[in-house]
Amino acid sequence: MPQNSGVTPNVANTVRQQCSGSIASNPRSFAKQRRYTPYRKTPASRLLKDGARISRIPDDDEADNTYLKDLVNKTWRVYHVSALYKFSSQPTSLKFYSKLLATYIKAETVAGQAVETTQEAADSAVISTIPGLAGHSTSSEAISIVLNQQKKRSGASESKFTAVLCEVATAKQVRKHKSFTELPVMLVKGPVALTRHVHSWLERQFDCHISPVTFSPVDLGWMVAIYAGYLKGKSPRPVELLYKVPSEAKGLQRIIFDIDPKDCKALWDSIHAREDDSFTEEEVASFIRSLECHFYHHFAIDLSVSLQ
Amino acid sequence: MENDALRKILNRFKISDFNEICKRWPYLRNRKLDSILRLKRKIELVNRVLEIAKKDKIRRKDIAQLDLIYVHKYSKKLIWTVFQLQKIVDGTTTKALQTPAEFSSRLHKALSLYFKVDVCVRVESHAFWVRVRMCPDGPTKAASLINDVTYFVYHPHAPYLLAAKMKAAEAEYIMQAFVDVLDCKEVEELHLRGHCVNSLGQLVLNRHSQGSFSQYRLNQVDPNPLSGRTLTRKQDLPSRLSDDIVYENRQERERDEETVAETFGPNEQPTLEKIEYQMLTKFCGHPHAPGMSRDGPFHCRVRFEGPNVIEGLRNLASAGAMSVPLKTHLAKIHTSARSVFMLKNKDRRQRSSQTSTSSQHTPASQLLSQS
């Protein structure tokens, strides 16, 4: 991430203590720099109390990667969850929540059987923490919700639904309220009916709101550009761009544009210098536009247009 | 075991289909069926048929017939691949006229050289619908009565064969058996797949009368052209948003619309659900990425998906999202009898030694222009 070059006045004190550069070692130089500027010392009434200074959190280098294997190579649906009220990650309370969820799901499936004849039911729920996924040591741990169903003949239970609630690693630490838990990102893999049930249970139980996350084409463009230069493994999968078609074209639903990963990397390398860590918007825009230009040359369809 | 398989097949049908089943299925055709037709719920209907089956000892042949009725009615649920039969030229096609029974027994004999099979043939809408079930080596289970099955559609006298759910390992042997039975030189798989049997047949049999030529085939040509009636598709230029919107480029849009109408014709396009282009051409996005190397192919693949892709492309063109003049490989999809294309740059060094590529057997259709 690009380093912040400017410092706000109320952080100047902490920065002076933490950094060992030549500028900060001489306290007079700060005053010299601040002469003839509108910046003055912060009045006492505005200083943050309880020592809660907004500070940079050091990156956790010893991240545990074993649990990432369960999350990788799967298709997830992403939802945004607002703060959970009175959620505790103690093992006893998690067990209690699991039982509540299992009974709720059973009640819902029984209630829905008169109308729908779906076979999406679950017998038991397991709510547990995933130790390796917390971004920082002070933040709350990630939670996993797994719904199992026992197979009739073999008696073994198979997982029908998996959800992972986790935090986002941000540069700044948001001040937390005691009774609220922030686990904003929810990754879900499972059938639609079970997803709906789990969402309604979470909303009822913890007074939160769950909404699906939509990525704009600009965001998706950034994602493609960031991962385009990263080739790993013997047979990497192609880069797939999915375009939805305007409703005037009845009969055609979508256009899928797959690009060979090596050629994609070559294109990205030609636009963006390899050593540079920061990506600019112009680079991302040129990358996507060059791919769309290549497509236009062959099919005379402009992929960036949206018909109204 | 037969009852389990019968129950599964019956459950696939809808309640409204049971009337039809009673008329078309030979097993039920000659019975008094008031007791069945009175019932309203599917479970009751299925149980009633199973009772009859128990009393009367249903055979595997009858189950196969019912399965074929289902496949004929819901053929859109399977993916059909088209094969072309290269016929023997000397004209001794004595095997062309075959009754379903003859065809069935010949096919059974030919396939028995390689596998143990059960063959069932029905005539539906002027074609032979064939169901081939591979019998497993050990004792038969209920699941194998339904699962290890391949379906074929053969229109007599047409040099094409459609197949669904054929396993790759068995394909070679099955096609060899068909070569014997249908008296042809060899069977070639076309790059054409789809869900709709009728559309696939149209694309392949009426290759050269698609698009604007379809009006001749379907007798839509006005015998009195001076009467002033226009038979092209009515396409106003409405605005979705408001009636007050006026198009400033009306003439251009009308001109483009004429080109599109001429290319695609006034009639409904045959249904293809997925069209794929494998692109091995050079990279063409240099205005935005000048640093990209100009040699070497830029491998990518484009898929168009939807309920009726050719119609969708036509609508896209008339809506203005696809620039006119249309690219040939998009405009001529209905004439090419393929759903998988390969685009390559023309090799200028070999241009003088190449013959014209209009035959059906070329594996790639080449890009025509490279501006």
Side-chain angles (χ1 to χ4, degrees), chain B residues 34-314:
Chain B
D34 308 329
S35 54
I36 292 187
L37 298 174
R38 250 188 295 131
L39 299 166
K40 297 286 178 186
R41 287 173 62 206
K42 192 158 137 184
I43 301 179
E44 292 172 5
L45 284 162
V46 171
N47 286 336
R48 186 79 190 93
V49 176
L50 284 171
E51 274 173 31
I52 301 179
K54 246 190 206 171
K55 263 193 229 169
D56 230 345
K57 284 287 173 183
I58 194 166
R59 298 163 299 172
R60 289 181 191 177
K61 246 198 313 186
D62 302 309
I63 299 181
Q65 295 256 347
L66 185 63
D67 197 16
L68 266 179
I69 295 176
Y70 176 77
V71 165
H72 171 72
K73 192 161 172 62
Y74 294 100
S75 59
K76 297 212 173 164
K77 293 199 173 183
L78 298 172
I79 300 181
W80 299 90
T81 319
V82 185
F83 292 83
Q84 187 177 25
L85 311 167
Q86 316 281 355
K87 293 260 175 180
I88 294 175
V89 186
D90 63 359
T92 52
T93 46
T94 48
K95 293 186 187 172
L97 300 166
Q98 304 177 49
T99 58
E102 271 178 29
F103 182 74
S104 176
S105 63
R106 283 214 186 104
L107 188 60
H108 191 277
K109 245 194 232 171
L111 283 169
S112 314
L113 296 172
Y114 308 106
F115 318 99
K116 191 171 162 209
V117 283
D118 259 347
V119 174
C120 177
V121 175
R122 268 183 76 89
V123 177
E124 302 274 7
S125 47
H126 311 292
F128 288 156
W129 286 67
V130 184
R131 177 188 193 262
V132 172
R133 180 178 78 93
M134 303 294 169
C135 302
D137 284 330
T140 330
K141 295 184 192 172
S144 87
L145 285 175
I146 317 174
N147 287 343
D148 306 323
V149 185
T150 318
Y151 302 97
F152 299 93
V153 181
Y154 174 62
H155 290 260
H157 303 285
Y160 296 102
L161 178 69
L162 281 90
K165 285 178 121 183
M166 189 159 66
K167 292 188 186 157
E170 298 159 1
E172 215 189 300
Y173 303 106
I174 297 181
M175 286 304 138
Q176 186 57 46
F178 270 106
V179 161
D180 271 331
V181 174
L182 300 173
D183 197 19
C184 50
K185 237 195 296 183
E186 85 180 86
V187 171
E188 191 198 328
E189 184 176 345
L190 298 180
H191 297 277
L192 183 59
R193 286 178 176 227
H195 287 269
C196 178
V197 172
N198 280 337
S199 295
L200 292 172
Q202 256 195 48
L203 279 171
V204 118
L205 291 170
N206 296 327
R207 257 186 86 173
H208 302 287
S209 62
Q210 294 286 347
S212 53
F213 295 110
S214 60
Q215 52 187 330
Y216 300 103
R217 176 169 42 95
L218 297 169
N219 246 342
Q220 288 167 346
V221 180
D222 194 0
N224 190 7
L226 295 174
S227 63
R229 269 176 57 220
T230 42
L231 282 166
T232 49
R233 254 169 52 159
K234 284 186 203 158
Q235 190 78 258
D236 306 331
L237 297 174
S239 166
R240 218 178 2 142
L241 299 173
S242 147
D243 287 332
D244 297 332
I245 292 182
V246 171
Y247 286 101
E248 286 297 317
N249 57 347
R250 195 185 181 84
Q251 277 187 341
E252 278 179 27
R253 286 186 75 129
E254 279 175 1
R255 226 186 319 132
D256 291 346
E257 181 57 39
E258 262 181 48
T259 324
V260 169
E262 218 185 283
T263 322
F264 288 98
N267 293 305
E268 180 90 23
Q269 305 294 324
T271 348
L272 270 183
E273 288 76 20
K274 184 164 142 181
I275 297 182
E276 195 177 306
Y277 288 87
Q278 298 265 6
M279 285 155 65
L280 300 171
T281 50
K282 289 192 197 160
F283 186 65
C284 302
H286 290 108
H288 299 283
M292 180 69 178
S293 72
R294 286 175 191 266
D295 314 308
F298 189 74
H299 301 95
C300 45
R301 183 169 74 129
V302 174
R303 281 174 282 164
F304 294 93
E305 290 182 5
N308 186 346
V309 175
I310 308 179
E311 188 75 26
L313 287 171
R314 188 232 157 95

Side-chain angles (χ1 to χ4, degrees), chain A residues 59-226:
Chain A
D59 278 329
D60 205 342
D61 287 330
E62 301 145 14
D64 190 2
N65 286 329
T66 47
Y67 279 95
L68 283 178
K69 286 183 197 160
D70 287 332
L71 300 177
V72 175
N73 270 333
K74 287 183 184 159
T75 311
W76 298 93
R77 287 184 183 271
V78 189
Y79 295 91
H80 175 263
V81 181
S82 61
L84 300 165
Y85 182 61
K86 287 199 173 160
F87 178 84
S88 90
S89 9
Q90 300 300 317
T92 40
S93 32
L94 289 182
K95 267 195 190 167
F96 177 59
Y97 297 146
S98 317
K99 279 193 200 151
L100 283 178
L101 179 57
T103 42
Y104 181 82
I105 299 271
K106 279 187 197 156
E108 286 291 316
T109 43
V110 165
Q113 252 167 22
V115 185
E116 308 163 2
T117 48
T118 49
Q119 288 172 354
E120 295 160 357
D123 285 328
S124 64
V126 177
I127 304 184
S128 54
T129 53
I130 305 176
L133 271 188
H136 318 289
S137 47
T138 49
S139 55
S140 34
E141 297 201 322
I143 305 287
S144 126
I145 303 176
V146 178
L147 293 177
N148 295 315
Q149 188 184 39
Q150 272 203 327
K151 275 193 173 168
K152 284 178 209 165
R153 288 183 196 173
S154 52
S157 63
E158 65 164 345
S159 148
K160 283 259 167 176
F161 171 92
T162 322
V164 174
L165 285 151
C166 54
E167 262 209 349
V168 180
T170 46
K172 291 184 178 175
Q173 189 183 33
V174 181
R175 221 163 21 132
K176 282 192 250 186
H177 199 277
K178 280 179 227 168
S179 26
F180 281 99
T181 323
E182 276 279 349
L183 289 168
V185 174
M186 180 168 173
L187 303 169
V188 168
K189 181 169 148 57
V192 178
L194 284 179
T195 318
R196 247 187 287 142
H197 294 325
V198 171
H199 283 177
S200 51
W201 179 77
L202 280 170
E203 287 180 346
R204 272 195 212 182
Q205 186 74 22
F206 302 112
D207 197 21
C208 57
H209 180 70
I210 302 181
S211 52
V213 171
T214 47
F215 298 103
S216 69
V218 177
D219 297 330
L220 293 171
W222 274 92
M223 280 191 228
V224 176
I226 289 170

Side-chain angles (χ1 to χ4, degrees), chain A residues 238 240 245-260 263-264 266-268 270-271 285-287 289-291 293-302 305 307-308, chain B residues 240-241 277 279 281-285 287-289 291-292 297-309 311-313 315-316 319 321-323 327 329-330 343 367 369-371:
Chain A
E240 190 176 298
V245 178
S247 54
E248 276 89 2
K250 282 179 215 158
L252 183 62
Q253 254 176 10
R254 53 179 179 265
I255 301 176
I256 304 173
F257 186 18
D258 281 341
I259 309 155
D260 181 56
D263 291 329
C264 196
L267 178 62
W268 177 244
S270 73
I271 295 177
S286 331
F287 180 64
R289 259 187 243 133
S290 63
L291 288 169
C293 181
H294 180 71
F295 186 91
Y296 183 82
H297 186 263
H298 291 92
F299 296 100
I301 302 175
D302 192 355
V305 87
L307 286 173
Q308 286 295 316
Chain B
R240 218 178 2 142
L241 299 173
Y277 288 87
M279 285 155 65
T281 50
K282 289 192 197 160
F283 186 65
C284 302
H288 299 283
M292 180 69 178
F298 189 74
H299 301 95
C300 45
R301 183 169 74 129
V302 174
R303 281 174 282 164
F304 294 93
E305 290 182 5
N308 186 346
V309 175
E311 188 75 26
L313 287 171
N315 288 332
L316 201 64
M322 193 148 63
S323 322
K327 294 283 174 185
H329 50 267
L330 276 178
L343 302 179
L367 235 200
S369 66
Q370 189 192 359
S371 54

